[in-house]
Amino acid sequence: MTDSTARQTQGPGAETRGEPGTAQGAAPAAGPHVEVRRVARVVLLDPDDRILLMHGYEPDHPDQTWWFTPGGGLEGDETRQEAALRELAEETGITDIDLGPVLWTRYCSFPFDGRRWEQDEWYYLARTRRTEAAPRPQALTELENRSLAGLRWWTSAELSAARETVYPTRLAELLRTLLDEGPPRAPVVLAPEIV
């Protein structure tokens, strides 16, 4: 979840298929001085098609919880693929993966730890040949140490039945489509999510 690189994006947001970073997938107009954090996320599937999610919470309000995919901000001049691999290793300890294509992109804006985060997220498909019973973080930031409760593998059915908050909010539907149809030919641009 570390970040030292941000950029500005503008334009309408819509759910379409298109190349990441094109006008089709641009974020809503965020103003002339809003920095948008570039993020790489990983949709990690095990041999049983279970997805690995992280359980997060608001540091000052541990009762406000949610589940989300591993990933975080780009550091320095690393690529999104490099950030995806680094973040997955840091947050889960899992390094034996096959990184696949970008599945989805989305712009999101949310409050967390006393500030508003504006993010341009790319979701990569990844597969691992083995399932860690209890994956363990290896190198968390100070903020991650204060806001992560653990990791869990979820089946598609468990995710669909979940009553807990999961981000992106349509993850259960997106995962089911991915498992039924395979990766999209081009990344699907999800509608912006403003919390």
Side-chain angles (χ1 to χ4, degrees), residues 3-4 46 60 67 116 139 145 181:
D3 180 40
S4 61
D46 74 0
D60 293 332
W67 292 90
R116 178 149 288 276
N145 275 313
E181 301 175 11

Side-chain angles (χ1 to χ4, degrees), residues 29 58 79 113 170:
E58 179 64 42
T79 66
D113 193 39
R170 292 182 45 231

Side-chain angles (χ1 to χ4, degrees), residues 16 25 29 33 46 69 76 90-91 117 125 128 140 145 167 175:
T16 61
H33 300 293
D46 74 0
T69 59
E90 290 174 357
E91 294 177 345
W117 298 72
L125 173 62
T128 183
L140 296 180
N145 275 313
Y167 293 111
L175 178 61

Side-chain angles (χ1 to χ4, degrees), residues 49-62:
D49 287 335
R50 296 183 306 167
I51 185 172
L52 183 65
L53 296 180
M54 301 176 68
H55 194 202
Y57 58 90
E58 179 64 42
D60 293 332
H61 301 281

